[in-house]
Amino acid sequence: MFKLSILIPSLTLLISISLLILLAPRILPNHQITISLPDELDDLSLFNKAIAAETTFPKHSSHKNKLRLGTIKVHQPKIAFMFLTNSDLHFSPLWENFFNGSDPHLYNIYVHDDPYIKIPPLKGVFKDRLIPSKRTQRSSPTLISAARRLLAYAMIDDPTNLYFALISQHCIPLHSFSYMYSFLLDARRLSRNMEFPSYIEILDHSDSLFDRYNARGDNVMLPEVKFMDFRVGSQFFVLTRRHSLMVIKDRKLWRKFRKPCINVESCYPEEHYFPTLLSMEDLNGCSKYTLTNVNWTDSVDGHPHTYHPYEVSSKLIYDLRESNSTYSYMFARKFSPDCLKPLMELADSVIFKD
């Protein structure tokens, strides 16, 4: 009887601890990662190097100058593909096909991972493309830092990088590389100032916009960011070099967006910083649309719809390409890792057949 009286409380305690471990992520508030001073200073040093390098690089020749000075040798502009991941690059074989069918002198690849998460060694076109990375966390300013870090490294690495595409490990391409390259560098898309546009979603309305604005506390964003200037948009963008420079030069808005949130459920700084900054700096230079298709029709806990193998078909690819703008989507997310096999089966006959 004595042994039983000890055994029952022990079992109860063991079960309670197990349940707490299982349910803690659901019932306890998420602990936000703070950006340490050493990390902040490290990034600031990197950004200053990129800014300084930009002033010493030869100025990019415009299309106007190319037509007038046709005898001058001009390096073709490149697209920087920046993969932001906290897991294995599940769709690397599909991306291999995307890049292998193109001129390697027209693109560069950069990968930012989470050093706290063990990821298998990168292979193929991704080998040796990992930049010095820092820890990231969803719904925290660390994702802004990671994107800015990718931009800075890509700008320093190659002065001919003209466009910078931010991509997640859950993204897939919807067209061939040549299709995307021709679209982005189409001279008909040049403005009167001979500038190409950036493709970033910029929205001034959302049911939760006010809550998101005050996620750090009432009026904490003032005076730098008024509510009327606060914007929302997709985390994934394709920015020009000019706009990328604006992003890494910024100090004023970053001081606000780096603050930790009080209301974590309304905290999505990575969806606000870039649209707000570029809306305030150069709205007319942005398309206001993203090139990445995301399905929010049945989102769960702030995550978009995740496509599974049974949903993958040629019709899905065609549907995902369609947008409300005058141009096609170039990427789509979010796909589960086990979608790789059916996607590879569609690669040559559908995805890369434009």
Side-chain angles (χ1 to χ4, degrees):
M1 187 70 180
F2 177 73
K3 291 183 178 180
L4 187 61
S5 63
I6 295 177
L7 182 61
I8 292 176
S10 299
L11 286 173
T12 303
L13 179 61
L14 182 62
I15 294 171
S16 300
I17 292 173
S18 301
L19 286 173
L20 183 60
I21 293 172
L22 180 64
L23 298 176
R26 301 181 185 181
I27 62 178
L28 296 177
N30 292 327
H31 174 69
Q32 279 196 318
I33 299 173
T34 57
I35 299 173
S36 67
L37 181 59
D39 282 352
E40 182 80 359
L41 293 175
D42 192 30
D43 282 345
L44 187 60
S45 175
L46 172 66
F47 300 158
N48 286 336
K49 287 179 184 177
I51 295 166
E54 193 66 12
T55 61
T56 59
F57 287 148
K59 296 298 180 183
H60 306 290
S61 300
S62 68
H63 280 252
K64 184 187 295 183
N65 289 335
K66 287 181 186 179
L67 292 173
R68 189 189 307 133
L69 306 174
T71 57
I72 295 178
K73 183 179 179 180
V74 178
H75 292 289
Q76 284 188 282
K78 298 178 183 178
I79 302 173
F81 290 85
M82 309 181 304
F83 290 81
L84 177 55
T85 181
N86 61 359
S87 69
D88 188 15
L89 293 178
H90 307 294
F91 300 112
S92 57
L94 185 64
W95 285 104
E96 284 274 356
N97 284 13
F98 174 81
F99 289 115
N100 286 340
S102 59
D103 184 344
H105 298 99
L106 297 182
Y107 66 85
N108 283 304
I109 298 171
Y110 308 90
V111 180
H112 185 295
D113 69 351
D114 188 327
Y116 283 72
I117 299 173
K118 187 172 179 59
I119 295 175
L122 300 176
K123 301 177 181 179
V125 294
F126 295 98
K127 186 179 181 181
D128 300 326
R129 302 313 301 162
L130 190 67
I131 72 166
S133 307
K134 294 179 174 62
R135 191 179 180 185
T136 56
Q137 182 187 51
R138 179 174 175 258
S139 302
S140 82
T142 59
L143 289 176
I144 301 176
S145 294
R148 296 176 84 198
R149 210 171 289 130
L150 279 162
L151 288 170
Y153 270 103
M155 292 183 72
I156 293 171
D157 179 63
D158 195 332
T160 62
N161 282 333
L162 178 63
Y163 267 113
F164 301 77
L166 186 65
I167 300 165
S168 86
Q169 74 271 34
H170 301 293
C171 281
I172 68 162
L174 293 176
H175 287 282
S176 66
F177 174 88
S178 60
Y179 183 96
M180 180 180 180
Y181 189 90
S182 298
F183 165 79
L184 290 176
L185 279 301
D186 187 342
R188 290 172 295 181
R189 301 189 184 279
L190 285 166
S191 67
R192 292 181 179 179
N193 297 325
M194 302 301 290
E195 299 283 357
F196 283 108
S198 283
Y199 298 90
I200 177 171
E201 187 175 48
I202 300 176
L203 304 173
D204 59 4
H205 59 276
S206 169
D207 293 339
S208 60
L209 197 62
F210 187 75
D211 290 337
R212 290 184 176 208
Y213 177 75
N214 287 313
R216 296 159 191 80
D218 291 347
N219 299 321
V220 168
M221 301 299 287
L222 293 174
E224 288 85 353
V225 183
K226 301 179 179 65
F227 178 65
M228 63 182 293
D229 296 323
F230 193 63
R231 297 292 183 267
V232 63
S234 170
Q235 174 189 356
F236 301 98
F237 51 67
V238 180
L239 299 186
T240 61
R241 193 174 187 92
R242 183 169 64 94
H243 286 148
S244 298
L245 183 62
M246 288 182 187
V247 168
I248 63 171
K249 274 186 171 182
D250 172 61
R251 302 291 180 267
K252 185 173 69 173
L253 266 62
W254 170 242
R255 283 195 292 269
K256 293 296 184 178
F257 280 95
R258 74 182 298 274
K259 292 180 178 293
C261 290
I262 298 172
N263 180 7
V264 179
E265 291 183 358
S266 297
C267 188
Y268 300 95
E270 70 279 10
E271 295 180 0
H272 295 280
Y273 173 75
F274 299 102
T276 300
L277 174 63
L278 292 180
S279 174
M280 295 174 70
E281 292 286 336
D282 184 25
L283 180 61
N284 291 332
C286 302
S287 69
K288 308 177 190 65
Y289 294 96
T290 178
L291 293 181
T292 302
N293 191 338
V294 183
N295 182 358
W296 291 102
T297 54
D298 54 352
S299 62
V300 178
D301 191 27
H303 291 283
H305 173 78
T306 299
Y307 293 101
H308 294 281
Y310 70 87
E311 297 174 272
V312 176
S313 67
S314 57
K315 183 180 185 304
L316 176 65
I317 300 301
Y318 297 139
D319 288 345
L320 290 175
R321 287 175 176 176
E322 295 182 6
S323 74
N324 293 328
S325 185
T326 57
Y327 46 78
S328 171
Y329 282 115
M330 299 293 157
F331 313 109
R333 64 185 296 269
K334 183 177 183 181
F335 285 79
S336 63
D338 52 352
C339 285
L340 177 61
K341 186 175 183 296
L343 285 169
M344 290 296 289
E345 292 172 354
L346 294 174
D348 294 333
S349 59
V350 178
I351 300 175
F352 303 137
K353 187 176 182 181
D354 305 306

